[in-house]
Amino acid sequence: MTTRREFVKGLIISVGGASALSACGDAATIIATATEEGGQFYSSDEMALVSRISDLIIPRTETPGALDANVPGYLDALMSDWASAETQNYHREALKLISGQLDARSGEFLTASEPEAIAALSELDREAFEGGNNLDGYRSFKGYITQSYFATELGATEELKWVAVPGVWDPSVKIATGN
Amino acid sequence: MAEAEFDAIVVGSGMSGGMSAKELCERGLKVLVLERGPEIVPERDYTDLLAPWESDHLDNVSQDEINERYYKQYGGVAYAIKESTKHFWVRDDEHPYEEAEGTSYDWLRGYHTAGRSIMWSRQTYRLGPQDFTANLEEGVGVDWPVRYEDIVPWYEKVETFVGVSGSEEGLDQLPDSVFQPAFELTDAEKSFKQKIEKTFDGRSVIPARIAHLTDATKEQLSLGRSNCQARNRCHHGCTFKAYFSSLNATLPAAKRSGNLTMVHNAIVRGLEYDTSTKRVSGVRVVDAETMEARTYTSRVVFLNASAIASAMILLQSKSESFPKGLANRSDQVGRNLMDHVSSAGVAGIMTGFEDQTVFGRRPSGGIYIPRYANITEKNKPFKRGFGFQGGARPLGNSSGQIAGIGKDFKEAHKRPGPWRFNVLAFGEQLPNPENRVTLHASRKDRWGNPVPVFNVSYGENERIMQREAVKDAQAMMEAAGCINITTSSANLSKPGNRIHEMGTARMGRDPATSVLNGWAQAHDVPNLFVTDGAFMTSSACQNPSLTYMAFSARAANYAADLISEGIF
Ligand SMILES: Cc1cc2nc3c(=O)[nH]c(=O)nc-3n(C[C@H](O)[C@H](O)[C@H](O)COP(=O)(O)OP(=O)(O)OC[C@H]3O[C@@H](n4cnc5c(N)ncnc54)[C@H](O)[C@@H]3O)c2cc1C
Ligand code: SF4
């Protein structure tokens, strides 16, 4: 089956790449943050939790994952420089709640085995999207993780095949199915 | 009177001012454009070439900064105010205004070269013959002193210069423009079109008409403009100069005539009136940076500061001859402030298109449903009508708001997802003299100019019309076979929020009840023209910028004729 990614890749080649006028320049500098250290906003415990959850939600597959794209560092900067005190507070409380719920499901989430951690987070995720357990804070956190990932150069180019200058508008592109 | 320094002064370099300046310059007149904001230099200030990862914080403006500086602007038009575009918007803390008790108003704007033509969404439609006769037929407001046919040649001239992509449809109420090829509809939109046109006799679904080049003319190429690259980065400016803005088109054309002088940071605070000649004799400015006061002189003056700012300039220009403000014998300056009105947006999922997606990012628009209310469908429980903007696109999933974690979650983002169709009505607002902007009695901004006070609310007609528009939208979604139809909050949009403010110095036939004649020339001050949205006698329901430009071009050529006849 042709995945959309392969198919979009084909298209980029067919329109001759992103053209000479495509965007260029230095990628935004993200403060590289080792997962065991605190950041400008996150404490070291929070950073560990944020890193673990980001990695489980967007793992490295054949394309880079959230940690490869330094999503935790991105979120740390987002919280310290973009968020208001109110949002910071809300996010911090959400992390506490998430941490408590994950621990309750897996013993100690951060030291749980991979399958245990996945099971705990999957369950929490499902409940959140079914609207249960006051988990709006989780949904918004997941939104930040995902959006941040796609806003990084790796996420945008490797995963979404973002094209700076499409050059044409094609309103009807068939996605090939089958082999 | 001493020899004037310039033939014409144009106040404001935005959508309408750019066109006034171009036409005046091309007629060989020496033109001074006074712009209150700083200069925008495309190479330095356009941010359309930034890749997503070159902006921090998802390109969001920090929340503290929004609360301190952009509370009104961001509240009104959050989708367009990003860290990389905020320099195109006024800071509310520097440019405050007040709202009468119990009312609220969105005055959304930018002060810089080219005004809001940099940030607009480029939807471009002519008014139709019915729009110029409705006031007369219904006894609402005053009659337009012109008819559609008077404006046709000017629409044609402006469209040819601007570049409008669209399709010929032959509709009486929404006449065709001079077009470049339209952006083709998606298959979901084509299916919607077919079902709606079959189910609802007299309704049509057409490609949005937008001011983007799709087949640039020689003239456009000679101005350094090129075809649209389907990037949808237009709120950041456009390095390709593919969408129309004053800075991409009219100002460069004015400049190459050799007749343009442009002064930035020049806040016009009043016009001087000479009682012996009965004309404007000077334009008073204060420098936004140095606070220095200066006066410029010219034979004719064009106000193009936008409907609210131009009304304020007139109201600030009090004299013994005009104690209520210049050209305001009728007391209509600042009154009849109109906008367009929306309420709920209606959206639904269109199934059957999961095996396809789009390539490229179509800028603005998708479909437009021209007005049918009280045109092809008579006897509605309200006056006038509305047009719908909308479109269909694959939903995509980059916001993370779907269930699941891990590889499957990641893979889900590569699929285009279901197709979502949405429509939103833009309705006509009737003129009402009680809807007005006045000058605050004592509160001044940091340049010593009075701050405006808005007192605007919608009436019964707007409420009933929007209630019906939402019902119609839902019925069309159903007829098109949409599922999961949702309707957003049913509140009316805030006055001002559609960013089509107009009507504050209306045209009319009688100087006792209107400010301007059919040339957008002040009844009482012959060398004064107002050709931004202030002249609009009624609002119609079409996005208005094209009409402002057509009237600007017409008035500029009329003024040039009068100058060449030696009248000024
Ligand atoms: C996000 C957005 C989307 C829009 N979408 C559309 C659309 O799709 N279709 C459409 O038709 N319209 C649209 N509009 C509206 C459109 O931008 C306006 O109709 C148009 O710009 C008005 O032209 P103008 O010349 O009256 O004012 P502006 O373009 O605002 O220009 C006024 C200029 O005057 C200057 N000025 C103000 N006061 C003074 C003073 N005292 N002295 C000197 N200079 C002064 C300002 O700095 C500014 O440069 C949109 C607007 C926005 C913001
Ligand atoms: S989509 Fe077209 S008009 Fe908009 S910024 Fe890109 S090239 Fe310019």
Side-chain angles (χ1 to χ4, degrees):
Chain A
M1 189 179 132
T2 312
T3 65
R4 175 161 182 265
R5 191 180 131 247
E6 282 154 349
F7 135 86
V8 174
K9 209 192 245 167
L11 260 182
I12 295 167
I13 292 160
S14 75
V15 298
S19 111
L21 280 154
S22 75
C24 56
D26 296 331
T29 35
I30 293 164
I31 305 140
T33 322
T35 49
E36 64 275 13
E37 280 171 27
Q40 288 176 321
F41 173 76
Y42 292 132
S43 67
S44 52
D45 284 353
E46 286 168 335
M47 188 61 97
L49 181 70
V50 167
S51 299
R52 187 78 183 113
I53 293 176
S54 301
D55 189 29
L56 290 172
I57 290 180
I58 305 182
R60 180 188 297 175
T61 52
E62 70 276 19
T63 56
L67 293 186
D68 298 312
N70 193 14
V71 166
Y74 198 102
L75 292 180
D76 186 54
L78 190 73
M79 283 302 143
S80 72
D81 303 342
W82 164 77
S84 64
E86 196 186 344
T87 302
Q88 289 176 339
N89 230 0
Y90 175 79
H91 182 54
R92 209 153 241 145
E93 289 303 314
L95 286 183
K96 265 190 218 148
L97 185 94
I98 293 165
S99 166
Q101 292 222 6
L102 288 173
D103 284 349
R105 286 164 218 252
S106 62
E108 198 187 330
F109 178 70
L110 286 178
T111 56
S113 69
E114 182 93 358
E116 277 172 343
I118 290 176
L121 187 60
S122 297
E123 201 179 284
L124 180 115
D125 184 274
R126 193 170 51 247
E127 280 179 22
F129 282 85
E130 281 162 5
N133 260 347
N134 261 338
L135 285 168
D136 286 355
Y138 169 78
R139 288 183 59 149
S140 109
F141 175 41
K142 188 179 184 187
Y144 289 139
I145 292 174
T146 315
Q147 289 177 49
S148 301
Y149 173 69
F150 289 123
T152 63
E153 185 168 7
L154 282 180
T157 58
E158 300 259 330
E159 185 72 2
L160 285 189
K161 298 295 167 196
W162 183 84
V163 184
V165 185
V168 290
W169 160 247
D170 185 343
S172 173
V173 180
K174 284 265 178 282
I175 302 172
T177 48
N179 283 319
Chain B
M1 193 167 98
E3 188 69 10
E5 298 162 280
F6 294 92
D7 293 318
I9 290 176
V10 175
V11 179
S13 65
M15 195 81 72
S16 63
M19 188 56 74
S20 300
K22 166 187 177 282
E23 292 295 315
L24 292 163
C25 282
E26 289 182 349
R27 288 288 301 265
L29 302 178
K30 295 284 172 210
V31 177
L32 170 66
V33 172
L34 295 172
E35 167 53 54
R36 73 169 293 159
E39 184 176 9
I40 297 280
V41 180
E43 298 72 28
R44 182 190 65 199
D45 301 319
Y46 285 177
T47 52
D48 57 318
L49 293 181
L50 283 180
W53 55 88
E54 292 176 297
S55 305
D56 291 331
H57 314 139
L58 305 169
D59 207 16
N60 290 327
V61 183
S62 93
Q63 293 184 313
D64 288 342
E65 187 172 348
I66 288 169
N67 291 337
E68 282 156 28
R69 298 180 172 175
Y70 298 102
Y71 36 92
K72 282 284 182 190
Q73 307 300 306
Y74 190 84
V77 65
Y79 65 88
I81 304 183
K82 299 284 171 190
E83 183 63 25
S84 61
T85 58
K86 68 182 184 192
H87 57 299
F88 294 144
W89 297 86
V90 297
R91 280 178 52 174
D92 293 307
D93 55 335
E94 291 175 351
H95 302 283
Y97 59 85
E98 295 199 2
E99 295 140 309
E101 192 144 343
T103 70
S104 59
Y105 195 85
D106 272 352
W107 191 18
L108 307 174
R109 64 212 193 278
Y111 291 155
H112 45 244
T113 325
R116 285 174 293 183
S117 70
I118 304 249
M119 308 99 88
W120 71 316
S121 293
R122 304 149 328 267
Q123 297 269 334
T124 299
Y125 303 95
R126 287 189 187 185
L127 266 53
Q130 73 285 347
D131 297 315
F132 294 93
T133 53
N135 277 5
L136 178 67
E137 282 163 14
E138 295 168 0
V140 170
V142 298
D143 183 23
W144 281 83
V146 291
R147 291 292 178 258
Y148 174 68
E149 294 68 34
D150 299 317
I151 314 306
V152 169
W154 301 99
Y155 273 135
E156 286 169 359
K157 183 175 206 278
V158 165
E159 289 156 359
T160 304
F161 177 78
V162 161
V164 182
S165 87
S167 57
E168 276 171 28
E169 304 285 345
L171 299 167
D172 292 339
Q173 79 274 35
L174 193 76
D176 292 330
S177 290
V178 177
F179 288 130
Q180 299 190 4
F183 282 80
E184 197 185 334
L185 298 182
T186 61
D187 287 357
E189 289 162 350
K190 287 180 187 164
S191 157
F192 183 88
K193 171 182 172 70
Q194 195 224 336
K195 289 187 176 131
I196 298 312
E197 291 178 356
K198 203 169 130 220
T199 316
F200 302 95
D201 195 25
R203 295 190 194 177
S204 30
V205 179
I206 66 172
R209 297 173 175 175
I210 56 179
H212 287 250
L213 301 183
T214 52
D215 184 15
T217 62
K218 264 206 189 111
E219 184 183 36
Q220 286 152 351
L221 293 170
S222 75
L223 287 163
R225 306 186 63 196
S226 53
N227 286 347
C228 178
Q229 303 295 311
R231 304 175 305 149
N232 198 15
R233 294 287 283 170
C234 326
H235 287 300
H236 296 71
C238 179
T239 305
F240 297 88
K241 302 189 189 333
Y243 77 83
F244 174 84
S245 72
S246 306
L247 188 49
N248 288 348
T250 41
L251 293 172
K255 197 167 165 194
R256 75 179 173 186
S257 72
N259 291 326
L260 175 72
T261 305
M262 196 152 168
V263 177
H264 285 89
N265 297 314
I267 304 178
V268 173
R269 58 171 11 162
L271 305 179
E272 283 167 7
Y273 179 72
D274 182 332
T275 44
S276 60
T277 60
K278 296 197 166 27
R279 287 174 188 177
V280 179
S281 54
V283 178
R284 289 191 291 117
V285 307
V286 54
D287 189 289
E289 289 183 331
T290 64
M291 304 298 261
E292 180 205 350
R294 292 188 297 268
T295 302
Y296 294 99
T297 58
S298 60
R299 294 166 197 264
V300 296
V301 172
F302 272 66
L303 288 186
N304 290 105
S306 80
I308 291 162
S310 289
M312 287 170 61
I313 291 169
L314 293 176
L315 293 173
Q316 280 165 249
S317 307
K318 294 192 173 80
S319 63
E320 253 170 51
S321 313
F322 290 102
K324 285 183 293 203
L326 188 64
N328 193 20
R329 204 151 50 93
S330 63
D331 192 32
Q332 292 301 314
V333 174
R335 294 186 183 272
N336 308 298
L337 177 52
M338 297 171 279
D339 186 16
H340 290 141
V341 57
S342 302
S343 76
V346 178
I349 299 294
M350 279 191 95
T351 54
F353 301 94
E354 294 74 14
D355 63 341
Q356 48 175 282
T357 183
V358 299
F359 181 77
R361 297 182 288 276
R362 178 175 52 182
S364 190
I367 59 131
Y368 187 74
I369 303 176
R371 177 177 154 196
Y372 51 81
N374 296 312
I375 298 215
T376 54
E377 297 173 24
K378 310 273 186 214
N379 301 321
K380 297 285 182 190
F382 54 86
K383 292 189 167 72
R384 317 281 167 109
F386 44 83
F388 286 102
Q389 292 179 23
R393 59 176 65 209
L395 198 48
N397 278 315
S398 57
S399 63
Q401 292 309 303
I402 49 171
I405 67 167
K407 191 170 172 23
D408 288 349
F409 174 75
K410 222 175 142 186
E411 290 296 318
H413 293 91
K414 294 180 191 162
R415 292 189 287 271
W419 284 69
R420 185 169 182 269
F421 211 109
N422 76 289
V423 290
L424 180 71
F426 279 62
E428 177 159 0
Q429 180 183 3
L430 295 177
N432 171 358
E434 300 312 317
N435 283 336
R436 64 190 297 204
V437 56
T438 52
L439 303 179
H440 196 283
S442 55
R443 187 170 170 204
K444 304 258 198 292
D445 66 17
R446 64 155 77 165
W447 297 277
N449 297 321
V451 306
V453 182
F454 293 96
N455 189 349
V456 185
S457 27
Y458 287 123
E460 244 348 71
N461 198 61
E462 286 90 32
R463 263 184 280 281
I464 297 171
M465 174 200 287
Q466 285 302 319
R467 187 191 68 205
E468 297 299 309
V470 172
K471 276 196 222 157
D472 285 5
Q474 288 163 333
M476 286 192 280
M477 287 285 174
E478 279 163 26
C482 291
I483 55 168
N484 299 344
I485 298 170
T486 53
T487 304
S488 66
S489 131
N491 292 334
L492 295 188
S493 52
K494 257 193 205 178
N497 187 270
R498 302 293 89 183
I499 328 183
H500 296 162
E501 72 281 0
M502 58 174 104
T504 46
R506 69 183 175 195
M507 283 186 170
R509 296 172 191 272
D510 181 358
T513 57
S514 60
V515 183
L516 307 171
N517 66 19
W519 296 102
Q521 177 185 32
H523 288 299
D524 295 334
V525 189
N527 69 338
L528 173 63
F529 294 80
V530 187
T531 67
D532 51 32
F535 71 78
M536 297 283 284
T537 310
S538 66
S539 75
C541 66
Q542 299 88 321
N543 308 59
S545 299
L546 175 68
T547 298
Y548 302 170
M549 289 195 276
F551 275 82
S552 294
R554 180 170 170 268
N557 281 277
Y558 177 69
D561 289 345
L562 296 182
I563 288 179
S564 61
E565 285 163 24
I567 291 177
F568 300 130

mmCIF file of all heavy atoms in Angstrom, chain B residues 214-241:
data_model
loop_
_atom_site.group_PDB
_atom_site.id
_atom_site.type_symbol
_atom_site.label_atom_id
_atom_site.label_comp_id
_atom_site.label_asym_id
_atom_site.label_seq_id
_atom_site.Cartn_x
_atom_site.Cartn_y
_atom_site.Cartn_z
ATOM 1 N N THR B 214 -3.337 34.555 -11.036
ATOM 2 C CA THR B 214 -3.189 33.181 -11.518
ATOM 3 C C THR B 214 -2.750 33.189 -12.977
ATOM 4 O O THR B 214 -2.408 32.154 -13.532
ATOM 5 C CB THR B 214 -4.505 32.387 -11.373
ATOM 6 O OG1 THR B 214 -5.564 33.131 -11.986
ATOM 7 C CG2 THR B 214 -4.844 32.162 -9.906
ATOM 8 N N ASP B 215 -2.793 34.353 -13.595
ATOM 9 C CA ASP B 215 -2.295 34.481 -14.969
ATOM 10 C C ASP B 215 -1.857 35.939 -15.130
ATOM 11 O O ASP B 215 -2.525 36.736 -15.778
ATOM 12 C CB ASP B 215 -3.413 34.107 -15.954
ATOM 13 C CG ASP B 215 -2.919 34.125 -17.389
ATOM 14 O OD1 ASP B 215 -1.685 34.131 -17.598
ATOM 15 O OD2 ASP B 215 -3.771 34.138 -18.306
ATOM 16 N N ALA B 216 -0.734 36.239 -14.505
ATOM 17 C CA ALA B 216 -0.301 37.638 -14.382
ATOM 18 C C ALA B 216 -0.185 38.311 -15.748
ATOM 19 O O ALA B 216 0.306 37.709 -16.703
ATOM 20 C CB ALA B 216 1.039 37.687 -13.655
ATOM 21 N N THR B 217 -0.649 39.542 -15.817
ATOM 22 C CA THR B 217 -0.553 40.304 -17.062
ATOM 23 C C THR B 217 0.837 40.939 -17.167
ATOM 24 O O THR B 217 1.593 40.980 -16.189
ATOM 25 C CB THR B 217 -1.579 41.445 -17.074
ATOM 26 O OG1 THR B 217 -1.268 42.327 -15.981
ATOM 27 C CG2 THR B 217 -3.004 40.922 -16.917
ATOM 28 N N LYS B 218 1.108 41.485 -18.332
ATOM 29 C CA LYS B 218 2.380 42.187 -18.533
ATOM 30 C C LYS B 218 2.543 43.306 -17.527
ATOM 31 O O LYS B 218 3.608 43.504 -16.947
ATOM 32 C CB LYS B 218 2.387 42.801 -19.935
ATOM 33 C CG LYS B 218 3.076 41.959 -20.955
ATOM 34 C CD LYS B 218 3.600 42.865 -22.086
ATOM 35 C CE LYS B 218 4.106 42.016 -23.226
ATOM 36 N NZ LYS B 218 3.280 42.090 -24.425
ATOM 37 N N GLU B 219 1.452 44.046 -17.329
ATOM 38 C CA GLU B 219 1.520 45.167 -16.396
ATOM 39 C C GLU B 219 1.861 44.670 -14.991
ATOM 40 O O GLU B 219 2.688 45.253 -14.298
ATOM 41 C CB GLU B 219 0.168 45.902 -16.380
ATOM 42 C CG GLU B 219 0.180 47.145 -15.497
ATOM 43 C CD GLU B 219 -1.180 47.837 -15.428
ATOM 44 O OE1 GLU B 219 -2.207 47.129 -15.424
ATOM 45 O OE2 GLU B 219 -1.201 49.083 -15.362
ATOM 46 N N GLN B 220 1.230 43.570 -14.597
ATOM 47 C CA GLN B 220 1.492 43.031 -13.254
ATOM 48 C C GLN B 220 2.933 42.524 -13.154
ATOM 49 O O GLN B 220 3.617 42.773 -12.149
ATOM 50 C CB GLN B 220 0.473 41.929 -12.940
ATOM 51 C CG GLN B 220 -0.898 42.531 -12.652
ATOM 52 C CD GLN B 220 -2.080 41.621 -12.974
ATOM 53 O OE1 GLN B 220 -1.933 40.562 -13.570
ATOM 54 N NE2 GLN B 220 -3.263 42.054 -12.574
ATOM 55 N N LEU B 221 3.391 41.835 -14.183
ATOM 56 C CA LEU B 221 4.780 41.348 -14.168
ATOM 57 C C LEU B 221 5.761 42.520 -14.099
ATOM 58 O O LEU B 221 6.771 42.457 -13.411
ATOM 59 C CB LEU B 221 5.058 40.497 -15.420
ATOM 60 C CG LEU B 221 4.293 39.162 -15.494
ATOM 61 C CD1 LEU B 221 4.459 38.522 -16.877
ATOM 62 C CD2 LEU B 221 4.763 38.192 -14.420
ATOM 63 N N SER B 222 5.394 43.609 -14.787
ATOM 64 C CA SER B 222 6.316 44.750 -14.822
ATOM 65 C C SER B 222 6.434 45.411 -13.448
ATOM 66 O O SER B 222 7.372 46.150 -13.188
ATOM 67 C CB SER B 222 5.850 45.772 -15.866
ATOM 68 O OG SER B 222 4.736 46.492 -15.359
ATOM 69 N N LEU B 223 5.460 45.133 -12.580
ATOM 70 C CA LEU B 223 5.548 45.674 -11.218
ATOM 71 C C LEU B 223 6.249 44.691 -10.276
ATOM 72 O O LEU B 223 6.239 44.866 -9.056
ATOM 73 C CB LEU B 223 4.138 45.983 -10.691
ATOM 74 C CG LEU B 223 3.482 47.219 -11.329
ATOM 75 C CD1 LEU B 223 1.977 47.214 -11.082
ATOM 76 C CD2 LEU B 223 4.104 48.506 -10.790
ATOM 77 N N GLY B 224 6.808 43.628 -10.851
ATOM 78 C CA GLY B 224 7.513 42.654 -10.017
ATOM 79 C C GLY B 224 6.586 41.653 -9.369
ATOM 80 O O GLY B 224 6.964 40.952 -8.432
ATOM 81 N N ARG B 225 5.353 41.550 -9.894
ATOM 82 C CA ARG B 225 4.391 40.605 -9.310
ATOM 83 C C ARG B 225 4.431 39.287 -10.087
ATOM 84 O O ARG B 225 4.720 39.271 -11.269
ATOM 85 C CB ARG B 225 2.978 41.203 -9.361
ATOM 86 C CG ARG B 225 2.879 42.582 -8.710
ATOM 87 C CD ARG B 225 1.425 43.058 -8.665
ATOM 88 N NE ARG B 225 0.629 42.172 -7.833
ATOM 89 C CZ ARG B 225 -0.715 42.137 -7.849
ATOM 90 N NH1 ARG B 225 -1.392 42.910 -8.650
ATOM 91 N NH2 ARG B 225 -1.359 41.311 -7.045
ATOM 92 N N SER B 226 4.124 38.197 -9.402
ATOM 93 C CA SER B 226 4.061 36.921 -10.110
ATOM 94 C C SER B 226 2.888 36.096 -9.609
ATOM 95 O O SER B 226 2.203 36.489 -8.660
ATOM 96 C CB SER B 226 5.375 36.150 -9.950
ATOM 97 O OG SER B 226 5.701 36.030 -8.590
ATOM 98 N N ASN B 227 2.650 34.962 -10.249
ATOM 99 C CA ASN B 227 1.482 34.148 -9.916
ATOM 100 C C ASN B 227 1.571 33.569 -8.512
ATOM 101 O O ASN B 227 2.656 33.316 -7.986
ATOM 102 C CB ASN B 227 1.338 32.997 -10.921
ATOM 103 C CG ASN B 227 0.827 33.481 -12.259
ATOM 104 O OD1 ASN B 227 0.356 34.614 -12.382
ATOM 105 N ND2 ASN B 227 0.918 32.627 -13.267
ATOM 106 N N CYS B 228 0.419 33.308 -7.967
ATOM 107 C CA CYS B 228 0.315 32.760 -6.618
ATOM 108 C C CYS B 228 0.896 31.351 -6.569
ATOM 109 O O CYS B 228 0.657 30.527 -7.447
ATOM 110 C CB CYS B 228 -1.147 32.746 -6.199
ATOM 111 S SG CYS B 228 -1.401 32.045 -4.580
ATOM 112 N N GLN B 229 1.654 31.078 -5.517
ATOM 113 C CA GLN B 229 2.351 29.806 -5.371
ATOM 114 C C GLN B 229 1.624 28.827 -4.446
ATOM 115 O O GLN B 229 2.213 27.838 -4.011
ATOM 116 C CB GLN B 229 3.763 30.066 -4.821
ATOM 117 C CG GLN B 229 4.588 31.007 -5.677
ATOM 118 C CD GLN B 229 4.881 30.410 -7.035
ATOM 119 O OE1 GLN B 229 5.314 29.272 -7.138
ATOM 120 N NE2 GLN B 229 4.606 31.177 -8.090
ATOM 121 N N ALA B 230 0.371 29.154 -4.082
ATOM 122 C CA ALA B 230 -0.437 28.235 -3.257
ATOM 123 C C ALA B 230 0.255 27.857 -1.949
ATOM 124 O O ALA B 230 0.425 26.677 -1.635
ATOM 125 C CB ALA B 230 -0.807 26.994 -4.063
ATOM 126 N N ARG B 231 0.643 28.889 -1.212
ATOM 127 C CA ARG B 231 1.334 28.636 0.059
ATOM 128 C C ARG B 231 0.502 29.012 1.262
ATOM 129 O O ARG B 231 0.817 28.668 2.389
ATOM 130 C CB ARG B 231 2.636 29.442 0.124
ATOM 131 C CG ARG B 231 3.574 29.200 -1.027
ATOM 132 C CD ARG B 231 4.773 30.116 -0.944
ATOM 133 N NE ARG B 231 4.365 31.505 -0.865
ATOM 134 C CZ ARG B 231 5.054 32.449 -0.221
ATOM 135 N NH1 ARG B 231 6.168 32.158 0.396
ATOM 136 N NH2 ARG B 231 4.612 33.684 -0.219
ATOM 137 N N ASN B 232 -0.511 29.852 1.026
ATOM 138 C CA ASN B 232 -1.353 30.351 2.104
ATOM 139 C C ASN B 232 -0.539 30.984 3.233
ATOM 140 O O ASN B 232 -0.744 30.693 4.409
ATOM 141 C CB ASN B 232 -2.253 29.241 2.661
ATOM 142 C CG ASN B 232 -3.414 29.807 3.458
ATOM 143 O OD1 ASN B 232 -3.707 30.995 3.364
ATOM 144 N ND2 ASN B 232 -4.054 28.970 4.257
ATOM 145 N N ARG B 233 0.372 31.854 2.862
ATOM 146 C CA ARG B 233 1.160 32.590 3.864
ATOM 147 C C ARG B 233 0.823 34.067 3.779
ATOM 148 O O ARG B 233 1.621 34.927 4.171
ATOM 149 C CB ARG B 233 2.652 32.392 3.586
ATOM 150 C CG ARG B 233 3.116 30.970 3.774
ATOM 151 C CD ARG B 233 3.190 30.592 5.222
ATOM 152 N NE ARG B 233 4.368 31.150 5.884
ATOM 153 C CZ ARG B 233 4.555 31.123 7.194
ATOM 154 N NH1 ARG B 233 3.641 30.595 7.981
ATOM 155 N NH2 ARG B 233 5.637 31.635 7.726
ATOM 156 N N CYS B 234 -0.336 34.371 3.239
ATOM 157 C CA CYS B 234 -0.632 35.741 2.827
ATOM 158 C C CYS B 234 -0.741 36.721 3.992
ATOM 159 O O CYS B 234 -0.462 37.907 3.814
ATOM 160 C CB CYS B 234 -1.888 35.770 1.990
ATOM 161 S SG CYS B 234 -2.112 34.314 0.941
ATOM 162 N N HIS B 235 -1.136 36.255 5.173
ATOM 163 C CA HIS B 235 -1.207 37.196 6.294
ATOM 164 C C HIS B 235 0.180 37.650 6.749
ATOM 165 O O HIS B 235 0.307 38.486 7.625
ATOM 166 C CB HIS B 235 -1.982 36.589 7.474
ATOM 167 C CG HIS B 235 -3.455 36.511 7.213
ATOM 168 N ND1 HIS B 235 -4.219 37.623 6.960
ATOM 169 C CD2 HIS B 235 -4.306 35.464 7.158
ATOM 170 C CE1 HIS B 235 -5.477 37.262 6.756
ATOM 171 N NE2 HIS B 235 -5.561 35.959 6.865
ATOM 172 N N HIS B 236 1.211 37.066 6.127
ATOM 173 C CA HIS B 236 2.589 37.452 6.461
ATOM 174 C C HIS B 236 3.180 38.413 5.432
ATOM 175 O O HIS B 236 4.361 38.729 5.483
ATOM 176 C CB HIS B 236 3.477 36.201 6.510
ATOM 177 C CG HIS B 236 3.107 35.235 7.596
ATOM 178 N ND1 HIS B 236 1.968 34.465 7.566
ATOM 179 C CD2 HIS B 236 3.728 34.920 8.749
ATOM 180 C CE1 HIS B 236 1.913 33.716 8.652
ATOM 181 N NE2 HIS B 236 2.968 33.975 9.389
ATOM 182 N N GLY B 237 2.367 38.866 4.475
ATOM 183 C CA GLY B 237 2.914 39.600 3.338
ATOM 184 C C GLY B 237 3.208 38.575 2.246
ATOM 185 O O GLY B 237 3.058 37.379 2.478
ATOM 186 N N CYS B 238 3.622 39.008 1.078
ATOM 187 C CA CYS B 238 3.884 38.030 0.021
ATOM 188 C C CYS B 238 5.073 38.479 -0.814
ATOM 189 O O CYS B 238 5.000 39.455 -1.545
ATOM 190 C CB CYS B 238 2.671 37.846 -0.885
ATOM 191 S SG CYS B 238 2.982 36.674 -2.219
ATOM 192 N N THR B 239 6.166 37.723 -0.674
ATOM 193 C CA THR B 239 7.379 38.035 -1.408
ATOM 194 C C THR B 239 7.162 37.942 -2.918
ATOM 195 O O THR B 239 7.837 38.614 -3.688
ATOM 196 C CB THR B 239 8.488 37.057 -0.967
ATOM 197 O OG1 THR B 239 8.598 37.159 0.458
ATOM 198 C CG2 THR B 239 9.823 37.393 -1.583
ATOM 199 N N PHE B 240 6.210 37.114 -3.327
ATOM 200 C CA PHE B 240 5.899 36.979 -4.751
ATOM 201 C C PHE B 240 4.986 38.108 -5.232
ATOM 202 O O PHE B 240 4.665 38.179 -6.407
ATOM 203 C CB PHE B 240 5.210 35.636 -5.010
ATOM 204 C CG PHE B 240 6.065 34.442 -4.691
ATOM 205 C CD1 PHE B 240 6.085 33.905 -3.414
ATOM 206 C CD2 PHE B 240 6.862 33.876 -5.669
ATOM 207 C CE1 PHE B 240 6.872 32.809 -3.112
ATOM 208 C CE2 PHE B 240 7.653 32.766 -5.374
ATOM 209 C CZ PHE B 240 7.661 32.238 -4.092
ATOM 210 N N LYS B 241 4.537 38.935 -4.316
ATOM 211 C CA LYS B 241 3.587 40.004 -4.638
ATOM 212 C C LYS B 241 2.390 39.455 -5.430
ATOM 213 O O LYS B 241 1.880 40.092 -6.352
ATOM 214 C CB LYS B 241 4.275 41.126 -5.415
ATOM 215 C CG LYS B 241 5.469 41.739 -4.663
ATOM 216 C CD LYS B 241 5.947 42.978 -5.382
ATOM 217 C CE LYS B 241 7.241 43.588 -4.889
ATOM 218 N NZ LYS B 241 7.671 43.430 -3.541
#
